[in-house]
Amino acid sequence: MKASRLFAVCCLLMGVLATAWGQEKTDSLYQSSVELLEQAQGASGDFSTQITLAQQAAAGFEVLQADSLELQARFLAAMAARYLQDSVNFTHHIEPILKIAQKRKDTAALVKAYNMQGLFYFSQGNSAKGIAMLKIPEQRSYYSASAAAENSFNLGALIDICLTYTMDLDSVYHYLNKLQRLAQLYPEPSVQVVSRFKLAQLFTKAYNYKESLEALRAAYPYLKELEDKGIANYYYSILIKNFIDLSMPDSAMHYIGILEKVASYSADDPRNCYTVVAKTRAHASLGRLPALSHSFEVCYEQLTATLDSTQKVSVIALGAMNAKCSFYLLKKDWPRLNQYLQELITYATKANSNQYLVNAYQMKFEALMEQGLDKPALEAHIQFKAYSDKVNQYTFTQSEALIKNQLGWQLASEENQLLEVENLKQKLRIIKDRNIRLLSLLGILLLGGLTTYFVRLSKIRKQQSEALSQIIAERTAQIEKTNKELTKTNQELLRSNTELERFAYVASHDLKTPLHNMIKFSGLLQRRLRDNADPEAREYLGFILRGGKRLNNLIEDMLEYAQFSMGYREQKSSIVDLGDLIKEVQTSLFDSLEQPNYLVMILPTLPRINWNYSKLFILFKNLIENSIKYNESEQPRVIISSTTGEDICSIFIEDNGIGIGETFHEKIFQMFTRLHNHSSYEGSGLGLAICQKVVEEMGGKISVQSQEQKYSVFRIDLPLQLIETKKGK
């Protein structure tokens, strides 16, 4: 007997040690993968190292099934591969990203992945495939609060494509409208910044640089909240381009200095090329360019090395070519100028960039005049004039009208305020004139005493008006300050709730792996000791297995609750016949319930509901299962009926079970609330909490009326907008 007990204890210890060893190995892999990810994030600019480290981290997270961390690592590797034009590594990481995001129904990750694919294919010269990738989020309606930032970048990229490549103004208006609606719905700083950037870009295309600078100024407060180097770089890039196009190189140099301080990348980072090119162009405009810098030559090589005459070139590459031509014009190096002017004309023609063609032919004209070649200079001037006319014709009049229409409510509001002020001034002038005439007449008639009285009265009224204006101004400022604080508090609360729900989901998900190991090893040990006569060993293993399965059920319910909270379930509505749905619930419960003789009565008055089928199935499955499980009658009975009032439809689930004490009628809908121990009734305490979340999402309310040891009646009140009228009634 002692030997068998000793053997059982040894086996139990071996199982525990095996589980501990497996957990230790898992923890070690997790720690090393996190360290690799942090090292990859720290290797900014060294894209080859980033790919290697991020790829190793992603492999570890894939083994651990830590999807969220695997997504971070693979996004980092794909981004680095994109900058290196490494199509093999880019495809290697982007495909798993899409699979994980689709499995998790992660809208933000899906939109970000398609954005990266679109930009990558554009950089490879495959513009058709790039456009197709960028259009997928709109085609599949991948819009949500969590994906607002990525949606704004997606729409901004589509606007750029329609302006630069397809020249499709109707599509520009379409995507701009969507972007402005997105900015109205979501106050997120990145969305506000991108929407204003696109307005500035369209004003620039219309050669309305003043309005463009105003739009950029409106974006600046949101830019400070972001602290994002990439967006800040883009912001100052647009600003600098405006000043260069306005022939204001001094102002351009000022903002280039700011860009180099706050938003530039390291010297060996390819993303730093815009700053280098803009600085070179500004120096050339000022005539302060004794030589082309080494950093400019490196950038020029990176931007033009892989080009051929059939490719559309990027705007920054055209800017680099323009800068090089300006330098050789300053140096009067005619052979090299002719060589690079020809390249600029070729690629600007391919890119349909009339502005750069104007610049090229203007420089060609000046060079030929310097050399005394009048006839070729005349031909260059004719080309310059032709492209100048095209630029002047292409003013984007409709774009300006659309942009002003987007800001119409602001402009109309400001105009109304100005009109009101003007009307008030006019009324005051009329009143003042009348008072002056009246005072003059009364002054003559009633002498100086009355004149003094009215003068004093006028001063008193003026003082009161000034005091009242000051009070109104102070209160207005206080109200604005309070509103800003409330907005900030609401945003922080929303972000905090989102992070808490995501934490619950990730924590529950990561608990499943060690728990499955414990249940698996316990089951193996139970099968190995199946013929062992020691009842205590079998009892111990039974405790482990039952506890593990109970904990697994609890985690599954927590995951389901977190998914409801985070919106991972698809919200596809359809007309659901409640009677048919409950019959399917009965079928699903037939094998899982211990009471085989229960009775579910479905009255014919049950409605048809326009809502998500899966969520309705979970709602009524939990309620019916509870009614049967918590029931000690010889024949458990559940009656489901409904009534329709003026504003709501009420659905009742009535049973003859053990009932619920009055003090617990509200508490039972809270998470992890259990009124009985596990030995009496199984359960996690999350079923009714999930029911409440489903009903509240429908805009309804769930409540209970019950008497202990007699009955319980759960009532669901739904708005009539969700109820579909049956045909024939």
Side-chain angles (χ1 to χ4, degrees):
M1 186 68 178
K2 290 182 179 180
S4 60
R5 288 186 179 180
L6 182 60
F7 178 73
V9 172
C10 289
C11 291
L12 183 59
L13 286 173
M14 288 175 63
V16 171
L17 288 172
T19 303
W21 179 79
Q23 183 62 43
E24 182 180 354
K25 187 174 180 182
T26 299
D27 292 342
S28 175
L29 179 59
Y30 177 84
Q31 185 62 35
S32 62
S33 299
V34 169
E35 290 175 358
L36 286 168
L37 178 58
E38 291 174 349
Q39 292 172 14
Q41 291 169 339
S44 178
D46 187 354
F47 299 123
S48 297
T49 303
Q50 272 192 328
I51 291 174
T52 302
L53 294 172
Q55 188 165 327
Q56 292 173 359
F61 292 132
E62 184 178 10
V63 172
L64 295 168
Q65 297 182 352
D67 291 344
S68 59
L69 291 171
E70 184 183 351
L71 277 177
Q72 287 185 42
R74 291 198 183 278
F75 267 125
L76 186 60
M79 183 68 73
R82 178 191 146 204
Y83 285 125
L84 290 178
Q85 299 292 302
D86 184 348
S87 58
V88 174
N89 271 313
F90 182 81
T91 305
H92 176 73
H93 289 286
I94 206 69
E95 290 178 352
I97 287 173
L98 289 171
K99 289 180 181 178
I100 296 171
Q102 287 166 355
K103 180 184 73 174
R104 291 161 53 92
K105 294 182 172 55
D106 189 336
T107 309
L110 285 169
V111 178
K112 183 176 181 179
Y114 287 120
N115 287 347
M116 289 181 66
Q117 280 189 294
L119 297 176
F120 179 77
Y121 287 124
F122 261 100
S123 68
Q124 295 283 307
N126 192 345
S127 57
K129 194 166 185 180
I131 294 172
M133 291 294 105
L134 289 168
K135 285 185 176 181
I136 287 176
E138 183 193 26
Q139 293 168 353
R140 299 182 182 177
S141 298
Y142 287 154
Y143 291 100
S144 67
S146 63
E150 294 299 334
N151 288 138
S152 66
F153 294 140
N154 175 262
L155 293 170
L158 287 168
I159 290 171
D160 289 340
I161 289 165
C162 294
L163 286 172
T164 308
Y165 287 88
T166 64
M167 311 299 290
D168 183 355
L169 290 181
D170 290 337
S171 295
V172 172
Y173 305 154
H174 170 72
Y175 295 126
L176 183 62
N177 271 319
K178 280 209 164 190
L179 183 57
Q180 296 304 308
R181 285 200 297 272
L182 202 68
Q184 292 171 2
L185 286 173
Y186 303 113
E188 190 170 338
S190 59
V191 179
Q192 303 302 319
V193 167
V194 173
S195 67
R196 285 159 175 79
F197 277 7
K198 293 300 110 178
L199 289 176
Q201 187 177 355
L202 287 177
F203 277 126
T204 300
K205 285 288 185 181
Y207 307 105
N208 191 339
Y209 299 108
K210 182 179 177 181
E211 293 293 343
S212 176
L213 292 173
E214 287 297 322
L216 290 172
R217 187 177 291 112
Y220 186 70
Y222 299 101
L223 184 70
K224 291 194 296 185
E225 293 182 39
L226 277 179
E227 297 182 357
D228 186 309
K229 182 184 287 188
I231 294 180
N233 186 285
Y234 187 45
Y235 172 82
Y236 287 112
S237 299
I238 298 176
L239 200 61
I240 292 164
K241 183 180 185 303
N242 284 346
F243 284 120
I244 290 176
D245 291 337
L246 282 169
S247 299
M248 298 172 65
D250 287 327
S251 297
M253 288 300 301
H254 170 72
Y255 284 102
I256 287 171
I258 296 176
L259 174 61
E260 289 177 331
K261 289 180 181 178
V262 303
S264 64
Y265 297 96
S266 60
D268 57 347
D269 193 319
R271 293 171 291 182
N272 195 47
C273 283
Y274 180 84
T275 307
V276 174
V277 171
K279 190 172 183 179
T280 305
R281 287 190 67 189
H283 277 305
S285 299
L286 292 169
R288 305 172 187 167
L289 194 63
L292 292 173
S293 66
H294 173 70
S295 57
F296 175 83
E297 295 290 4
V298 171
C299 286
Y300 187 86
E301 181 66 23
Q302 290 176 349
L303 292 169
T304 62
T306 60
L307 293 177
D308 58 62
S309 59
T310 63
Q311 264 184 291
K312 277 191 176 182
V313 68
S314 66
V315 174
I316 184 173
L318 289 174
M321 295 178 185
N322 196 107
K324 201 152 197 175
C325 292
S326 298
F327 170 74
Y328 288 122
L329 179 62
L330 284 173
K331 296 300 177 183
K332 298 184 180 181
D333 187 343
W334 311 129
R336 291 189 178 181
L337 176 62
N338 291 335
Q339 173 190 346
Y340 289 108
L341 272 177
Q342 189 56 48
E343 287 186 7
L344 177 57
I345 291 170
T346 299
Y347 288 113
T349 303
K350 186 64 181 176
N352 295 323
S353 178
N354 293 330
Q355 185 60 57
Y356 279 105
L357 286 168
V358 168
N359 296 347
Y361 281 109
Q362 184 178 14
M363 287 187 283
K364 187 172 184 178
F365 169 73
E366 292 176 4
L368 292 170
M369 288 297 292
E370 282 278 341
Q371 298 173 70
L373 303 174
D374 295 340
K375 186 175 180 181
L378 178 60
E379 294 176 357
H381 183 72
I382 292 172
Q383 291 292 334
F384 164 75
K385 187 67 172 61
Y387 284 110
S388 295
D389 290 342
K390 288 184 179 181
V391 168
N392 292 331
Q393 292 170 5
Y394 191 53
T395 59
F396 280 80
T397 303
Q398 296 178 355
S399 296
E400 285 199 86
L402 174 65
I403 296 166
K404 291 180 179 179
N405 183 51
Q406 298 298 318
L407 301 175
W409 64 274
Q410 294 178 346
L411 297 174
S413 176
E414 292 173 0
E415 289 175 1
N416 289 337
Q417 290 177 1
L418 291 173
L419 287 173
E420 289 175 3
V421 171
E422 191 61 32
N423 289 337
L424 182 59
K425 287 181 179 179
Q426 184 65 24
K427 289 179 181 178
L428 289 174
R429 281 196 293 269
I430 294 171
I431 293 171
K432 185 178 179 180
D433 291 339
R434 289 178 180 176
N435 286 340
I436 290 172
R437 292 172 186 173
L438 180 61
L439 287 173
S440 300
L441 180 61
L442 289 176
I444 295 171
L445 296 174
L446 300 176
L447 303 175
L450 289 177
T451 303
T452 304
Y453 171 79
F454 281 109
V455 169
R456 290 180 179 177
L457 180 61
S458 177
K459 289 182 178 179
I460 291 171
R461 287 180 176 176
K462 184 177 180 181
Q463 291 173 354
Q464 290 176 341
S465 177
E466 290 176 351
L468 182 60
S469 298
Q470 185 176 359
I471 292 172
I472 291 173
E474 291 174 353
R475 291 185 178 177
T476 301
Q478 186 177 5
I479 290 171
E480 290 177 351
K481 181 180 179 182
T482 303
N483 286 339
K484 289 181 180 178
E485 291 175 351
L486 286 173
T487 301
K488 184 177 180 181
T489 302
N490 288 337
Q491 290 174 351
E492 291 176 352
L493 182 59
L494 179 62
R495 185 163 53 250
S496 175
N497 287 341
T498 303
E499 289 174 354
L500 285 173
E501 290 171 348
R502 186 175 292 277
F503 173 78
Y505 177 82
V506 173
S508 299
H509 188 277
D510 290 345
L511 282 173
K512 291 172 69 177
T513 300
L515 180 59
H516 286 169
N517 288 339
M518 185 182 78
I519 295 174
K520 186 186 301 179
F521 281 111
S522 298
L524 291 172
L525 187 58
Q526 188 181 48
R527 285 198 296 272
R528 183 171 292 182
L529 299 179
R530 184 180 300 162
D531 300 327
N532 194 326
D534 189 354
E536 290 186 2
R538 291 198 298 273
E539 184 180 9
Y540 295 157
L541 284 174
F543 288 153
I544 293 173
L545 282 171
R546 286 193 296 275
K549 291 177 179 178
R550 189 181 305 128
L551 182 56
N552 184 65
N553 292 336
L554 177 60
I555 291 172
E556 291 290 345
D557 287 345
M558 284 178 66
L559 279 170
E560 187 169 48
Y561 187 87
Q563 287 173 339
F564 273 110
S565 299
M566 297 168 68
Y568 284 153
R569 292 182 176 272
E570 291 185 358
Q571 185 61 40
K572 292 184 179 179
S573 299
S574 60
I575 305 302
V576 180
D577 189 306
L578 193 54
D580 294 340
L581 181 139
I582 291 172
K583 291 176 183 177
E584 293 184 18
V585 169
Q586 286 182 261
T587 303
S588 70
L589 293 175
F590 182 81
D591 295 326
S592 62
L593 293 173
E594 297 178 359
Q595 296 92 331
N597 60 336
Y598 65 85
L599 175 64
V600 177
M601 300 175 62
I602 305 171
L603 297 189
T605 59
L606 294 183
R608 290 154 51 115
I609 303 175
N610 186 8
W611 197 251
N612 182 268
Y613 179 90
S614 299
K615 293 185 178 181
L616 287 172
F617 186 94
I618 290 171
L619 169 64
F620 287 95
K621 178 178 179 294
N622 283 341
L623 291 173
I624 294 172
E625 187 176 20
N626 282 355
S627 295
I628 298 170
K629 181 166 59 175
Y630 297 102
N631 198 313
E632 296 178 353
S633 303
E634 293 182 1
Q635 183 178 35
R637 183 180 68 252
V638 184
I639 302 174
I640 304 171
S641 60
S642 68
T643 60
T644 303
E646 294 182 358
D647 299 318
I648 61 172
C649 176
S650 299
I651 302 169
F652 302 90
I653 298 91
E654 180 179 356
D655 63 60
N656 60 342
I658 61 175
I660 303 168
E662 187 175 354
T663 56
F664 299 100
H665 284 184
E666 293 182 2
K667 186 178 179 181
I668 58 173
F669 295 103
Q670 299 175 4
M671 291 177 62
F672 305 111
T673 299
R674 289 182 50 80
L675 306 184
H676 308 279
N677 57 40
H678 289 286
S679 62
S680 300
Y681 300 96
E682 289 288 339
S684 63
L686 283 170
L688 290 177
I690 293 173
C691 290
Q692 186 181 50
K693 185 161 284 290
V694 173
V695 174
E696 288 178 351
E697 186 179 275
M698 298 168 71
K701 179 182 178 183
I702 184 170
S703 58
V704 64
Q705 293 293 326
S706 180
Q707 187 173 349
E708 288 186 274
Q709 303 304 324
K710 288 190 176 181
Y711 71 91
S712 293
V713 180
F714 284 85
R715 173 173 176 165
I716 301 172
D717 294 330
L718 299 177
L720 283 182
Q721 293 89 332
L722 301 180
I723 306 304
E724 181 77 7
T725 305
K726 293 185 178 180
K727 294 182 180 180
K729 293 191 178 184

